[in-house]
Amino acid sequence: MQLLCDVLVGFSSLALVSRVGGIFPTALGTAFITLFYSSLLSLAKYFLDPFDNEDSGGKHGISINADTILQETNIGIERWRRSAAWLPDTGR
């Protein structure tokens, strides 16, 4: 994944020069692509190792509290169930 993002960001400047022309739009577009794909790569690394078992997430990794996630999911289910009770009979 790291290699794919690096190659994409590396060749993006060449593609942008021929497409938009000029050095300023090319630099701005490359900076935007670099920011987007580096953030996407960091997010993908967090999803691969959410509890930071392999020390890839930095000093502290990411804090995932499974109890809170389950509680919020259950609250959302109940909210939908209660709102479905408010529907008229023709909407069901």
Side-chain angles (χ1 to χ4, degrees), residues 12-46:
S12 67
S13 60
L14 297 174
L16 284 172
V17 165
S18 66
R19 188 76 166 161
V20 291
I23 195 75
F24 182 70
T26 301
L28 188 64
T30 303
F32 178 73
I33 289 172
T34 302
L35 176 69
F36 176 73
Y37 278 103
S38 64
S39 300
L40 190 63
L41 178 66
S42 297
L43 184 63
K45 285 182 180 179
Y46 284 141

Side-chain angles (χ1 to χ4, degrees), residues 2-92:
Q2 178 76 43
L3 182 65
L4 177 70
C5 285
D6 289 344
V7 168
L8 182 70
V9 167
F11 284 118
S12 67
S13 60
L14 297 174
L16 284 172
V17 165
S18 66
R19 188 76 166 161
V20 291
I23 195 75
F24 182 70
T26 301
L28 188 64
T30 303
F32 178 73
I33 289 172
T34 302
L35 176 69
F36 176 73
Y37 278 103
S38 64
S39 300
L40 190 63
L41 178 66
S42 297
L43 184 63
K45 285 182 180 179
Y46 284 141
F47 281 142
L48 284 174
D49 186 21
F51 297 112
D52 200 24
N53 294 328
E54 296 179 7
D55 294 329
S56 62
K59 188 175 177 183
H60 301 290
I62 188 170
S63 176
I64 294 179
N65 192 351
D67 295 335
T68 304
I69 293 172
L70 289 173
Q71 180 182 6
E72 291 296 322
T73 303
N74 289 336
I75 288 172
I77 290 170
E78 286 300 318
R79 187 177 301 142
W80 279 97
R81 190 175 296 153
R82 277 186 264 128
S83 64
W86 292 345
L87 282 175
D89 290 333
T90 58
R92 292 183 189 177

